[in-house]
Amino acid sequence: MAEVLFYHLTESTLEDALPGLLERSTARGWRAVVQAGSEERRDALDQHLWTFRDDSFLAHGTDREPYAAEQPVLLTVTDANPNGAAIRFLVDGASPSDLSAYERAVFLFDGHDAGQVEAAREHWKTMKAGGHAVTYWQQRPDRRWERKA
């Protein structure tokens, strides 16, 4: 069973939070897959990850490009795992399928978007009922994560 984490964004945007989480994941030697809720969001994240910080380089690609299987971080809109990722990030309302192939799954949701909050609640119930170890993390005003459940 995958460890499932819910990250409730209250102080920063997905664009602010995701790159750091991806950097920490790749530093652990994990390949990552990011499943977005739409092609437009996937493409916007693709552009953002090239320019999010001047002093950083986060190698990544998308599922519409050749060599997806070789990418350390892959952005997608499907539930496929062509790069053999150990961690799956679900953003912008993306819904998971079977998470048993992953060590960890991370739901990032915007606390200012009622639809994303409600979807996260439903995913929490489903993951818990499925036997996954689930934890809930919320941002503090200083943008650090605090475990709430």
Side-chain angles (χ1 to χ4, degrees):
M1 287 287 146
E3 176 185 15
V4 181
L5 296 87
F6 288 80
Y7 282 92
H8 188 165
L9 298 164
T10 57
E11 304 298 325
S12 62
T13 65
L14 175 65
E15 289 79 6
D16 293 333
L18 182 62
L21 294 170
L22 290 171
E23 286 177 323
R24 285 193 284 284
S25 297
T26 57
R28 288 182 155 190
W30 289 350
R31 287 179 176 249
V33 64
V34 179
Q35 182 180 344
S38 69
E39 290 181 359
E40 294 79 16
R41 184 64 148 167
R42 176 203 57 204
D43 295 344
L45 288 172
D46 177 33
Q47 291 302 309
H48 178 69
L49 290 177
W50 291 120
T51 61
F52 74 94
R53 199 170 65 223
D54 289 339
D55 66 342
S56 181
F57 174 75
L58 185 57
H60 71 280
T62 71
D63 58 357
R64 63 182 154 75
E65 299 167 0
Y67 310 111
E70 298 174 22
Q71 299 298 329
V73 174
L74 184 71
L75 307 175
T76 185
V77 294
T78 72
D79 59 1
N81 185 11
N83 67 338
I87 184 168
R88 182 170 204 91
F89 290 87
L90 297 116
V91 303
D92 197 37
S95 293
S97 59
D98 181 18
L99 296 175
S100 63
Y102 300 94
E103 290 183 42
R104 182 174 288 174
V106 179
F107 288 85
L108 287 126
F109 61 100
D110 182 348
H112 304 290
D113 182 318
Q116 286 190 30
V117 171
E118 185 56 36
R121 285 185 182 124
E122 291 304 313
H123 292 312
W124 172 276
K125 292 175 191 172
T126 301
M127 295 296 115
K128 197 130 173 94
H132 295 281
V134 297
T135 56
Y136 167 74
W137 300 80
Q138 187 175 33
Q139 281 185 313
R140 299 186 320 210
D142 64 2
R143 294 185 178 197
R144 292 180 172 247
W145 297 104
E146 181 177 6
R147 184 176 176 167
K148 296 284 191 168

